Amino acid sequence: MTTDEIRLARAYLLRVAEPPAPEVVSLVANVGPVRAAELVRAGKAADDETGARRHLDFAERDLAEAAAGQARLVIPEDEEWPAWQLLALTNAAARGVPGMTGPLGLWVRGSARLDDLVQEAVAVIGARASTGYGEHVAADLAYGLAERSVTVVSGAAYGIDGYAHRGALGAKGSTIAVLACGVDVAYPAGHTELLAKIAVSGAVVSEYPPGTRPARHRFLVRNRLIAALAAGTVVVEAGRRSGSRNTAATTCALGRPLMAVPGPVTSAMSVGCHDLLRTAGATAVCGAADVMADAGRISVDATTRSDEPPRSTDGLDRVMLRVHEELPTRGGLSAERIAVGSGVPLSRVRALLPELELLGLVQKCEAGWCRGQG
């Protein structure tokens, strides 16, 4: 079975199954994409999710149209697939979190490798009806992140999203626009030029096939990808009922850091941010340095003086440091006890321990987890 056959099968399934399509994703996991496509075409599987479209076998056309628009379909079988980032969706689905199914594939417009772009990435999102204050903060924050070689992920909407993308581009950095339509569809139309610029150094990404028009429900489905592709999410401005609150909730469900920018208490566009700070466990951030401390890796020279020897934990953010400091040098602790002791949610602890293990800072022992030799 060739990669081309697998890509065709996944392109077909992306056309006939409206994301997040948990039945189809489960079928692919059990029998593989080629066999899953055969069963769906024959009407023998996942009929509730594919019955209305299974006759639309446009895989070859979709791939050709994407190529004509300098886009491609990236699939889990490709080396550039961001497996580590998207694993959080699979894990959340396994815990029973609704709507957290991982994508069958991602249509990508732009020449940069997707896995490279998201290796260090932060989502910056917010209200469409933004204020001058929010627009200034979003652009400045994104500029600072891009200066630190962090990719800015957002949704290309008017308002905060657009200013976040522009801020990253202004620093000659990379940014990713995750769309709720096909990557060949310029939405919003006023951002046609912006999307073209994003694709030059970053990527325009969607799980919807070429030609797909935006729809209200697709924005909510799209939001899980913004949260998953980033190491953390910053909400710059949000009304009480803003769609950014959905992305924020997904960020928490994935065990990723959630941050919010405080605003004037009199501003309706900061009400959502203040609610996140008060009730959702969001961390207040005022600039790129704050974001890096909570979601990114702080460089050694930013945390130590040049005349001091570096420590093995100098590259850890605040949350990782709390988890590490809770670990004993002798014996071991379970993830549950580490969560209680550090005050870090259990889901986040379970996600961080393997990462700390890769850094040589923790190790698995008979009694649970203890400090490593790093």
Side-chain angles (χ1 to χ4, degrees), residues 58-122:
F58 299 154
E60 291 187 359
R61 187 199 70 180
D62 286 342
L63 290 169
E65 287 186 0
Q70 296 184 315
R72 64 194 183 281
L73 177 60
V74 178
I75 58 176
E77 290 77 13
D78 290 330
E79 288 185 2
E80 69 169 302
W81 182 255
W84 176 258
Q85 288 77 12
L86 296 176
L87 179 61
L89 290 171
T90 303
N91 290 341
R95 297 196 306 271
V97 182
M100 290 297 106
T101 307
L104 291 163
L106 291 171
W107 298 93
V108 179
R109 178 182 163 201
S111 58
R113 279 180 59 121
L114 189 57
D115 58 339
D116 288 341
L117 287 172
V118 300
Q119 188 171 0
E120 294 286 346
V122 170

Side-chain angles (χ1 to χ4, degrees), residues 110-282:
S111 58
R113 279 180 59 121
L114 189 57
D115 58 339
D116 288 341
L117 287 172
V118 300
Q119 188 171 0
E120 294 286 346
V122 170
V124 179
I125 60 171
R128 288 175 173 80
S130 53
T131 69
Y133 162 79
E135 291 162 2
H136 171 78
V137 171
D140 187 66
L141 195 152
Y143 188 99
L145 290 170
E147 274 192 317
R148 294 164 169 83
S149 300
V150 175
T151 299
V152 174
V153 183
S154 200
Y158 289 131
I160 297 301
D161 289 16
Y163 278 88
H165 291 304
R166 291 188 187 95
L169 292 172
K172 302 190 184 306
S174 297
T175 181
I176 296 174
V178 186
L179 305 185
C181 55
V183 295
D184 60 334
V185 177
Y187 184 87
H191 279 175
T192 301
E193 185 177 347
L194 175 61
L195 288 167
K197 290 179 179 178
I198 290 170
V200 172
S201 60
V204 178
V205 176
S206 176
E207 60 187 321
Y208 297 101
T212 303
R213 308 306 301 179
R216 191 184 188 94
H217 68 276
R218 289 180 180 141
F219 287 97
L220 296 177
V221 173
R222 175 277 310 266
N223 288 347
R224 82 193 197 286
L225 296 180
I226 293 178
L229 292 173
T233 298
V234 184
V235 183
V236 176
E237 279 191 318
R240 194 177 296 278
R241 295 173 59 85
S242 170
S244 299
R245 301 289 296 274
N246 172 263
T247 309
T250 301
T251 300
C252 294
L254 298 182
R256 302 272 168 83
L258 174 64
M259 294 152 279
V261 176
V265 296
T266 54
S267 173
M269 284 298 101
S270 289
V271 170
C273 290
H274 297 157
D275 281 350
L276 293 174
L277 291 167
R278 188 168 56 87
T279 65

Side-chain angles (χ1 to χ4, degrees), residues 84 91 254-256 346-356:
W84 176 258
N91 290 341
L254 298 182
R256 302 272 168 83
L346 179 58
S347 60
R348 183 84 175 119
V349 169
R350 285 175 171 160
L352 288 176
L353 285 171
E355 191 170 343
L356 288 167

